[in-house]
Amino acid sequence: MNYMLRSIGGENKLFVTMSKKYGALYKYEVKPITIADDKVFFKSNFINEDFIFDLKGQCLEIVDVYEQKQTLKKQTALIS
């Protein structure tokens, strides 16, 4: 699964872009809900999905509309 997080210049909003069914890209806003135990919980208004950022482990857990969980780990760029 590929995703991209970005903050749009000066709007103080966070957007996620993810590929969904059949590879279609969706971009929607996610809003912070709570912070606990080095984790930040975000919720999407557009689609019933949850995003949990583990600040200590530097990973992202996504719980989709079907309650399926996916964990994505941060990767460092390889320099060749």
Side-chain angles (χ1 to χ4, degrees), residues 58 73-80:
Q58 296 185 358
K73 301 236 179 215
K74 181 179 177 183
Q75 295 182 346
T76 56
L78 298 175
I79 300 173
S80 53

Side-chain angles (χ1 to χ4, degrees), residues 6-79:
R6 43 187 306 200
S7 176
I8 305 299
E11 291 184 30
N12 292 326
K13 294 180 180 181
L14 184 65
F15 292 87
V16 64
T17 302
M18 298 179 71
S19 59
K20 295 292 183 181
K21 196 171 186 179
Y22 306 114
L25 289 177
Y26 286 88
K27 177 180 143 187
Y28 46 95
E29 183 179 1
V30 291
K31 295 184 179 183
I33 301 299
T34 188
I35 299 173
D37 300 325
D38 292 325
K39 293 184 180 181
V40 182
F41 297 82
F42 287 82
K43 191 93 169 147
S44 166
N45 287 340
F46 181 68
I47 299 175
N48 187 23
E49 291 185 333
D50 298 318
F51 298 85
I52 301 119
F53 292 92
D54 183 338
L55 303 174
K56 199 176 261 184
Q58 296 185 358
C59 64
L60 169 65
E61 183 176 290
I62 301 168
V63 182
D64 69 18
V65 68
Y66 303 108
E67 298 296 320
Q68 299 294 314
K69 292 182 183 179
Q70 295 189 35
T71 301
L72 306 171
K73 301 236 179 215
K74 181 179 177 183
Q75 295 182 346
T76 56
L78 298 175
I79 300 173

